[in-house]
Amino acid sequence: MDFTPCHPQPFTFQQAISFDPEVSADEIGRLQNSISHLKRTQEELQEYAEDPDIAQAIKENNQTLASQDERIFMLKLALTQHGASNATSAHYDLPPEPEPESKNGRHGGFTSDNGLEPLDTPLPGDNSDVGPSNSTGEDEQESGVHL
């Protein structure tokens, strides 16, 4: 498979294929964060678009957004070469906007003050502390997230 980008990119598609999948996934996340902030900046700049310098900045930002979108696509496509058959799925898309806080200042569920779920908080219905384990015989080192 081959891919030719429309925008200048810091690496080729063949180089992207050679990246460790974790590195590619991390870069996708970083780019998505950058795009999110840049889109918010673009909205703020629209108020001053009549200024020629601001108009030029908006144009350059649009080119950057297009380049970063293309880079994400290229990385997702490279991930499919590593067997990540769903690399182009919504899993790698931007996360949804945060939910509004409830009256008690929490988002619901088992979240901490920073809105993140503590790693040691059991999930609803998790009976890991009750009764015998339903182990499949895997060593703890072999368990974990499998992509």
Side-chain angles (χ1 to χ4, degrees), residues 69-82:
D69 277 336
E70 183 179 65
R71 195 170 321 143
I72 289 171
F73 176 78
M74 190 166 59
L75 289 165
K76 287 180 178 182
L77 198 57
L79 282 173
T80 64
Q81 299 295 302
H82 287 279

Side-chain angles (χ1 to χ4, degrees), residues 74-109:
M74 190 166 59
L75 289 165
K76 287 180 178 182
L77 198 57
L79 282 173
T80 64
Q81 299 295 302
H82 287 279
S85 61
N86 63 349
T88 56
S89 75
H91 173 76
Y92 292 102
D93 290 342
L94 288 172
E97 292 295 318
E99 295 178 22
E101 291 188 18
S102 64
K103 291 182 182 180
N104 65 5
R106 296 186 61 165
H107 294 281

Side-chain angles (χ1 to χ4, degrees), residues 15 23 42-43 51 57 91 115 120 132:
Q15 289 171 321
V23 170
Q42 287 290 82
E43 290 173 9
D51 181 304
H91 173 76
D120 59 346

Side-chain angles (χ1 to χ4, degrees), residues 37-67:
H37 289 288
L38 193 52
K39 283 181 177 179
R40 189 176 68 241
T41 299
Q42 287 290 82
E43 290 173 9
E44 293 171 5
L45 288 175
Q46 289 300 324
E47 185 177 339
Y48 308 100
E50 68 279 350
D51 181 304
D53 291 333
I54 300 295
Q56 180 64 28
I58 291 171
K59 181 180 176 183
E60 290 172 6
N61 287 348
N62 284 334
Q63 292 170 345
T64 300
L65 285 166
S67 176

